[in-house]
Amino acid sequence: MADTDAPLLIKRYASRRLYNTETSDYVTLDDIAQFIRDGREVQIIDLKSGDDLTRQYLLQIIADHESHGESVLPINVLTDLVRSYTTGVQSVVPQFLQMSFEMLRDGQSKMFENFTNPMAKMPGFEAMQAQQEAFLKAMTGGWAGSPGAGKMPDATESAAEDLDDIKKQLADLQAKLSKLS
């Protein structure tokens, strides 16, 4: 199995064909774009000279997508990029773009974390969760393999404590719900 942390090495032959060194087959620009969408880092080198052509091919992939109606970059952004290349002063555009994309990735990660359990943001969720755990503990307290099964306390004492705990949590949950109304 390939090491997915290392960049996928693509070699460009003199015939301009691109060769995937992991799978030992030829690939297209669309294939390379898909590798990148799947989260792989890609490095494209010229077989004869050893030059790194990655930037050139990534720009070509972007240009192909833009020319086929998949416009992501607004005209004013493209214009600003051209301007940044024509100034003689060291441009802050590369650092700005890199930081912007990092912020975008971080924001997307946080957004997906929030979507994984939308109930967690609901008021009283912790109390409901604790109530469920107490109920399960009360129901499975004496069964082998269940949490707390090794203890074997007095059944009536344990059940009474669990019931009191559930009642308290239910009262807390009802109070929170009544505040929302």
Side-chain angles (χ1 to χ4, degrees):
M1 178 157 206
D3 179 12
T4 57
D5 290 340
L8 173 61
L9 182 61
I10 306 288
K11 294 181 180 179
R12 184 185 77 170
Y13 285 94
S15 64
R16 296 194 176 268
R17 292 189 72 184
L18 300 169
Y19 185 76
N20 181 341
T21 59
E22 276 185 10
T23 59
S24 301
D25 61 349
Y26 291 101
V27 294
T28 64
L29 286 179
D30 288 335
D31 295 329
I32 293 171
Q34 188 59 50
F35 296 144
I36 294 169
R37 277 189 224 101
D38 291 341
R40 287 296 304 267
E41 294 293 323
V42 175
Q43 182 180 19
I44 304 168
I45 61 164
D46 183 85
L47 183 65
K48 186 175 181 180
S49 68
D51 293 341
D52 189 343
L53 306 173
T54 308
R55 181 182 314 269
Q56 171 187 331
Y57 277 94
L58 294 179
L59 287 169
Q60 186 175 347
I61 289 169
I62 292 169
D64 286 350
H65 282 280
E66 289 284 327
S67 69
H68 290 99
E70 299 177 42
S71 298
V72 172
L73 300 170
I75 295 293
N76 59 344
V77 171
L78 293 171
T79 304
D80 288 342
L81 281 172
V82 170
R83 280 191 190 112
S84 74
Y85 277 100
T86 58
T87 61
V89 183
Q90 178 68 24
S91 175
V92 297
V93 174
Q95 293 87 5
F96 172 76
L97 289 173
Q98 182 176 0
M99 287 177 20
S100 297
F101 276 104
E102 286 173 5
M103 287 174 47
L104 176 65
R105 277 192 299 270
D106 291 344
Q108 285 177 334
S109 297
K110 289 177 184 171
M111 185 177 69
F112 285 127
E113 286 173 14
N114 290 338
F115 280 136
T116 56
N117 190 359
M119 293 286 294
K121 299 290 182 192
M122 189 174 92
F125 176 74
E126 293 86 12
M128 273 191 336
Q129 194 173 27
Q131 179 184 355
Q132 288 175 342
E133 289 172 7
F135 177 75
L136 286 173
K137 187 171 126 185
M139 295 301 292
T140 61
W143 294 351
S146 65
K151 295 177 191 168
M152 297 306 281
D154 180 24
T156 56
E157 182 181 294
S158 176
E161 288 175 10
D162 288 339
L163 185 57
D164 289 339
D165 191 28
I166 291 171
K167 286 179 183 177
K168 182 185 179 309
Q169 290 174 7
L170 184 58
D172 291 344
L173 183 59
Q174 286 175 335
K176 287 181 181 180
L177 288 174
S178 66
K179 287 179 185 177
L180 291 175
S181 300

